[in-house]
């Protein structure tokens, strides 16, 4: 990972056409503790592995309610995640104020992605060091998106980010075909199993893992 | 040359009356449902009451467009508060927020005459009364709007609130029971309807107590 000739600031390209600062920001996401999301036709479930600095400290808050119909799980620099959550909440409130209807999830993730992109093209800024799994419900159904520090976003049936997320992803890749028709309880169970995969041996307890659900007729809330 | 006066006013008065009475463990907030302009009725079925927070209800008479805008602003601010504090706003907190919001537009006021009613943190009823630019006071009962000149003296006579200047401070809440207070409100509106042309059609009565919120309607004279 020794390529420090072109990685000093985000506005410098490498000869191979890469922005190293952006890639380093994505590394920060990979170092954060795992966050997992799964979607069915009517529900979206988010699960997080909560790291604690020591036995004495509280566990990090990684799942945020953005609005009744949208929630987000983060991995990476949680401070950046908190700031972006505040932005998302503000956008939802303003949209609702103007249009008296909930902000469609697809619109929110685009705004978030555009905000992230700005930080990849300003010499006095740095990219956000946080990946966001945005779970939401709108008129077009249930959605799960992943927003990168690069400004890219993708929609997923199921996804996992953060450290040891590959184990969770492998489990999800095996099972995802059934998710669309899953019941709420089965979806939560699959989320917990995926979280347990990424813990690899450690005990899965309620202090280590947090689950949140949003669904038809069920506003976003942490279980 | 004499000073030119405006040939258009940004304000209109849609009439109506509002009342609120605080009890030892309840609060009654009521407003008629007539919306008028000049000598015409726009509708007989318009709610002037807004449920701002779990234990806080506002009734506003005056220019309903400004009232609606004010309700939306407070609603949005309450959402932000909930995101930041993880709890609902208390009635005294909302009272201060309403005052600040009104004064914010000191030089182009919300033409809205408000009474805020709810339960304070001890579960006792509280009523706050406002002018159009945010001057407010906690009282045991109040009325605002076109019928307030007819209603207020009657409430003064029946509820005999102690002077707020007394030392030691005496409780402003009425010793009346909840049903007695609701009956008083019904009487008061029936009387105001007789002589105030802008008050009538129906009265919407909201009761806030420990078991939650209850809404009732009573028919009034429609002439």
């Amino acid at each position: 990972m020794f390529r420090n000739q072109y990685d000093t600031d985000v506005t410098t390209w490498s000869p191979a056409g890469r922005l190293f600062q952006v890639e380093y920001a994505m590394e920060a996401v990979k170092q954060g503790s795992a966050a997992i999301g799964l979607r069915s036709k009517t529900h979206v479930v988010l699960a997080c592995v909560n790291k604690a600095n020591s036995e004495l400290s509280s566990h990090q808050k990684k799942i945020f309610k953005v609005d009744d119909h949208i929630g987000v799980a983060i991995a990476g620099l949680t401070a950046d995640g908190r700031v972006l959550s505040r932005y998302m909440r503000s956008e939802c409130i303003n949209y609702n104020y103007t249009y008296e209807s909930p902000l469609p999830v697809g619109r929110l993730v685009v705004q978030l992605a555009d905000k992230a992109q700005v930080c990849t093209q300003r010499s006095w800024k740095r990219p956000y060091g946080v990946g966001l799994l945005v779970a939401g419900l709108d008129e077009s159904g249930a959605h799960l998106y992943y927003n990168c520090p690069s400004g890219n976003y993708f929609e997923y049936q199921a996804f996992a980010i953060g450290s040891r997320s590959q184990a969770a992803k492998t489990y999800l890749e095996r099972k995802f075909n059934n998710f669309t028709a899953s019941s709420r309880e089965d979806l939560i169970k699959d989320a917990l199993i995926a979280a347990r995969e990424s813990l690899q041996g450690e005990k899965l307890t309620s202090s280590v893992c947090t689950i949140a659900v949003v669904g038809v007729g069920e506003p976003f809330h942490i279980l | 040359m004499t000073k030119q006066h405006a040939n258009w006013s940004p304000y209109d008065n849609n009439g109506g009356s509002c009342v609120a009475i605080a009890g030892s463990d309840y609060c009654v907030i009521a407003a008629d449902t007539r919306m008028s302009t000049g000598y015409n009725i726009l509708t007989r079925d318009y709610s002037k009451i807004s449920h701002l927070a779990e234990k806080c209800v506002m009734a506003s008479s005056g220019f309903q467009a400004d009232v609606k805008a004010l309700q939306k602003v407070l609603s949005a601010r309450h959402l932000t508060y909930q995101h930041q504090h993880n709890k609902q706003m208390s009635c005294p907190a909302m009272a201060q927020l309403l005052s600040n919001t009104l004064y914010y537009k000191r030089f182009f006021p919300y033409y809205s005459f408000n009474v805020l009613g709810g339960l304070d943190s001890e579960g006792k009823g509280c009523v706050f009364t406002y002018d159009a630019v945010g001057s407010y006071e906690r009282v045991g009962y109040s009325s605002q709007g076109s019928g307030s000149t007819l209603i207020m003296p009657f409430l003064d006579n029946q509820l005999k609130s102690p002077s707020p200047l007394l030392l030691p401070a005496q409780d402003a809440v009425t010793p009346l029971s909840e049903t007695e207070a609701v009956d008083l409100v019904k009487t008061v509106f029936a009387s105001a309807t007789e002589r105030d042309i802008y008050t009538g059609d129906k009265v919407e009565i909201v009761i806030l107590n420990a078991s939650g919120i209850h809404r009732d309607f009573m028919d009034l004279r429609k002439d």
Side-chain angles (χ1 to χ4, degrees), chain B residues 14-216:
Chain B
N14 300 120
S17 314
C18 308
V19 166
I21 302 177
S24 53
D25 63 346
Y26 67 88
C27 189
V28 183
I29 302 101
D32 71 324
T33 62
R34 172 175 288 178
M35 186 169 165
S36 33
T37 175
Y39 287 121
N40 302 311
I41 294 180
L42 288 171
T43 178
R44 299 187 188 278
D45 200 9
Y46 190 83
S47 174
K48 299 186 185 52
I49 298 184
S50 169
H51 191 189
L52 296 174
E54 192 191 357
K55 300 198 175 156
C56 187
V57 172
M58 177 174 80
S60 322
S61 95
F63 182 36
Q64 289 301 320
D66 273 357
V67 166
K68 185 72 161 194
L70 180 63
Q71 287 171 352
K72 285 175 76 156
V73 166
L74 292 173
S75 211
R77 287 298 304 273
H78 184 226
L79 245 190
T80 305
Y81 181 97
Q82 284 182 289
H83 281 143
Q84 291 172 348
H85 297 79
N86 228 13
K87 63 171 187 170
Q88 297 263 331
M89 267 179 105
S90 67
C91 196
M94 185 59 85
Q96 185 67 51
L97 178 64
L98 174 54
S99 172
N100 292 146
T101 308
L102 290 169
Y103 197 79
Y104 195 70
K105 275 176 55 78
R106 172 65 178 81
F107 300 109
F108 184 13
Y110 288 108
Y111 196 103
S112 167
F113 299 98
N114 313 293
V115 276
L116 196 74
L119 302 171
D120 65 13
S121 35
E122 295 166 19
K124 284 215 299 243
C126 57
V127 169
F128 298 89
T129 188
Y130 295 77
D131 72 0
V133 285
S135 162
Y136 82 112
E137 186 189 8
R138 181 170 177 176
V139 288
Y141 60 90
S142 180
S143 74
Q144 292 281 355
S146 58
S148 67
T149 44
L150 299 162
I151 296 172
M152 205 57 181
F154 186 70
L155 291 180
D156 286 332
N157 176 268
Q158 294 296 305
L159 297 174
K160 288 196 193 31
S161 192
S163 166
L165 302 167
L166 278 174
L167 212 59
Q170 282 188 18
D171 226 356
V173 297
T174 178
L176 287 180
S177 76
E178 191 182 298
T179 17
E180 286 173 330
V182 172
D183 274 343
L184 179 59
V185 164
K186 290 180 179 175
T187 311
V188 140
F189 268 94
S191 309
T193 304
E194 292 291 314
R195 293 288 179 176
D196 178 26
I197 59 173
Y198 300 109
T199 302
D201 295 328
K202 279 205 301 275
V203 56
E204 180 184 5
I205 306 174
V206 170
I207 305 153
L208 261 179
N209 53 26
S211 41
I213 186 168
H214 180 76
R215 187 181 303 253
D216 209 4

Side-chain angles (χ1 to χ4, degrees), chain A residues 65-67 89 93 97-98 100, chain B residues 69 72-73 76 79-80 83:
Chain A
K65 173 169 174 171
V66 166
D67 203 344
R89 285 169 178 170
I93 288 175
Y97 183 92
T98 310
E100 300 238 350
Chain B
K72 285 175 76 156
V73 166
L79 245 190
T80 305
H83 281 143

